[in-house]
Amino acid sequence: DGAQLILTPPPISGDGAHVISWRVASADGHPVGGAITFWVGRRDVDAPQAVRSNDALLRGAIWLARLAIYVGLFVGAGGAFFVAWIRAPSAPAMRVIGSSVELIALAALAFSVGLQGLDAMGLSPSSLPDAEVWASGARGSFGLSAAIASAALLLALWSHRAGDVGARVMSLGALVGVGLALAATGHAATASPRWLTAPAVFAHGAALAFWVGSLIPLALAMGQPRQTASDVLMRFSRVIPFAVAALLASGLLLAVVQLERVDALWTTNYGRVLTVKLVLVALLLAIALWNRLYLTPRIGQGGAAPRRHMRRTIVAELVLVAAILGVVGLWRFTPPPRALMVAAPPFFTHIHTGRMMADVTMSPGRAGPVSIAIQLRTPDEELLSAKGVSVSLSSPDNGIEPSITEARSLGDGQWQASMAVPIAGRWTLALDVLISDFDQVHAETEIQIK
């Protein structure tokens, strides 16, 4: 229900430790999960451990499918736009290459829906034939993105066989579809504020598709007569600075939003992936700059040698692009630093009654699973020996009745308990300390949880 996960648990039979393990597809389309441990009746047994699924085969299949989709969107849809709008010669080789990568990407998109369902439900690849797996994969932002990407690939596929006007309209729709598909899901597109990040992802994806899509048609154009090759290159050179500027500006904006701090570049997996990508992009920009400043003027002057050199550098660019897309695919498994839960400082309170004092430290001091450390003393600052301690949390403002757990003794008046604080706000923390079989002390205080 929105940001709330509501569970009606099955009947619990017997005392002891229990685990609630949960897993959902988040707003960015990526599965997230966790586990909450609780005890019933007694706490003298170890808690069972929730095992997290980490199927290397599934993760590899997700990565390969994503790589195929990227190639189809950028090389296929981007190439179709380049041929139609830059008026590059539509050689049969380009139609074959474009159609091939687009068909492969369509198949990968269909397959990725099932893979998304497996990942969302935490199942092994053997469950792929189950209908519920595919239904789960098609839900949410991932399903919307897959539908838009499929439409973009189909438009690109049809544009190869359309006339000039039809090819332009369809290829433009395909390029817009690339941006919309990427902006519909993913870590970056769903980051706050969405009014800024979603358009940035759109611009980043469309600009990248234009640049990457231009490489193969440009390489093929270099095999055309000198004047044809020079005209195509000149038209491309007038447009590409705007695409690169949009690519770099949107990429910088998204990096700032995702990282939040500079040291995340080397202290987080997301940042390390971004660092590798930036190095590869820097090499790609260096080659592009060499082509623009050195080779492009010489191609205009004539001669076959500069065109041969241009084809070779374009091949190098394609290799770098393949590496970049492969690296970017790893972000599927690396949440950005902004999405990682930042450790909140502990919350401390002191409870004082006429017969007892208690120092209570709740770690972390925020909503969610917490660990509660209790130090008991007498009013004279002596260690207080107790036979048992019960801890309860309630929130009358939110209609939450008391949740009670038994703390375990650590010796020297120290006790430890684990509980869950479902929401932030004002809570009532109560301690019932059993001094003897006939003597119990009750104390409570109001606390504020962030």
Side-chain angles (χ1 to χ4, degrees):
D1 181 13
Q4 295 183 348
L5 183 61
I6 301 171
L7 168 69
T8 301
I12 298 174
S13 59
D15 294 348
H18 302 266
V19 174
I20 296 175
S21 178
W22 58 272
R23 189 169 177 84
V24 297
S26 60
D28 60 15
H30 299 148
V32 292
I36 299 173
T37 303
F38 66 96
W39 281 259
V40 174
R42 57 193 180 90
R43 218 168 140 174
D44 57 352
V45 294
D46 293 333
Q49 298 299 311
V51 179
R52 180 179 179 272
S53 175
N54 189 19
D55 194 308
L57 178 61
L58 176 60
R59 292 165 70 88
I62 291 173
W63 179 83
L64 283 174
R66 178 153 295 208
L67 181 59
I69 294 167
Y70 284 157
V71 172
L73 292 175
F74 298 139
V75 175
F81 180 85
F82 181 88
V83 169
W85 287 84
I86 305 299
R87 300 192 303 278
S90 183
M94 184 59 212
R95 288 196 294 271
V96 171
I97 293 171
S99 299
S100 298
V101 296
E102 287 149 10
L103 288 171
I104 292 172
L106 282 168
L109 268 170
F111 188 50
S112 68
V113 172
L115 297 177
Q116 171 76 5
L118 290 176
D119 198 24
M121 299 177 71
L123 301 175
S124 67
S126 62
S127 300
L128 189 61
D130 295 349
E132 180 58 28
V133 168
W134 293 86
S136 176
R139 296 190 192 109
S141 63
F142 180 85
L144 175 62
S145 176
I148 298 173
S150 298
L153 291 168
L154 288 173
L155 286 172
L157 196 60
W158 292 333
S159 73
H160 298 308
R161 294 158 181 81
D164 290 344
V165 175
R168 284 194 170 198
V169 172
M170 291 180 183
S171 64
L172 177 59
L175 190 72
V176 171
V178 171
L180 290 176
L182 297 177
T185 191
H187 294 306
T190 56
S192 182
R194 286 204 67 178
W195 63 265
L196 181 63
T197 55
V201 172
F202 174 88
H204 198 73
L208 183 59
F210 175 74
W211 186 6
V212 173
S214 70
L215 297 178
I216 293 179
L218 272 178
L220 295 174
M222 293 303 103
Q224 300 291 320
R226 182 192 67 80
Q227 190 59 48
T228 301
S230 178
D231 289 346
V232 172
L233 193 56
M234 290 302 106
R235 289 193 291 270
F236 171 71
S237 297
R238 287 192 292 268
V239 177
I240 190 61
F242 298 100
V244 172
L247 187 70
L248 295 179
S250 57
L252 178 61
L253 170 64
L254 294 171
V256 170
V257 171
Q258 297 288 65
L259 291 178
E260 294 189 333
R261 63 186 194 279
V262 175
D263 67 337
L265 279 170
W266 58 85
T267 59
T268 65
N269 289 333
Y270 185 95
R272 286 187 279 269
V273 171
L274 177 59
T275 300
V276 174
K277 179 196 172 184
L278 291 177
V279 171
L280 294 174
V281 169
L283 293 174
L284 187 63
L285 288 172
I287 295 175
L289 191 62
W290 168 265
N291 289 347
R292 182 177 179 85
L293 298 180
Y294 182 78
L295 290 180
T296 298
R298 282 160 178 75
I299 290 175
Q301 295 169 4
R307 281 180 281 160
R308 287 197 302 271
H309 293 320
M310 178 68 80
R311 284 198 297 269
R312 291 170 186 165
T313 58
I314 289 175
V315 170
E317 287 183 273
L318 285 168
V319 171
L320 283 172
V321 165
I324 290 171
L325 296 181
V327 168
V328 168
L330 297 175
W331 273 335
R332 172 62 172 75
F333 315 106
T334 51
R338 63 152 186 90
L340 298 176
M341 187 173 290
V342 180
F347 174 86
F348 174 82
T349 187
H350 177 76
I351 303 176
H352 198 146
T353 71
R355 301 180 56 197
M356 176 195 74
M357 296 191 305
D359 292 330
V360 181
T361 303
M362 187 178 294
S363 303
R366 53 163 167 74
V370 296
S371 176
I372 302 174
I374 305 164
Q375 175 68 66
L376 298 179
R377 295 183 184 276
T378 67
D380 297 328
E381 294 288 343
E382 299 291 333
L383 293 178
L384 176 62
S385 212
K387 297 189 66 175
V389 175
S390 296
V391 184
S392 76
L393 282 171
S394 61
S395 180
D397 294 345
N398 296 296
I400 300 177
E401 295 296 322
S403 174
I404 304 173
T405 187
E406 294 294 326
R408 59 189 177 93
S409 175
L410 302 179
D412 297 328
Q414 298 181 57
W415 295 77
Q416 186 83 30
S418 296
M419 300 187 73
V421 183
I423 59 174
R426 185 187 302 275
W427 287 79
T428 299
L429 171 67
L431 300 179
D432 286 292
V433 180
L434 186 64
I435 305 298
S436 68
D437 291 339
F438 306 98
D439 189 10
Q440 180 171 287
V441 179
H442 177 81
E444 64 182 51
T445 186
E446 298 293 321
I447 61 175
Q448 188 72 30
I449 299 298
K450 296 181 180 179

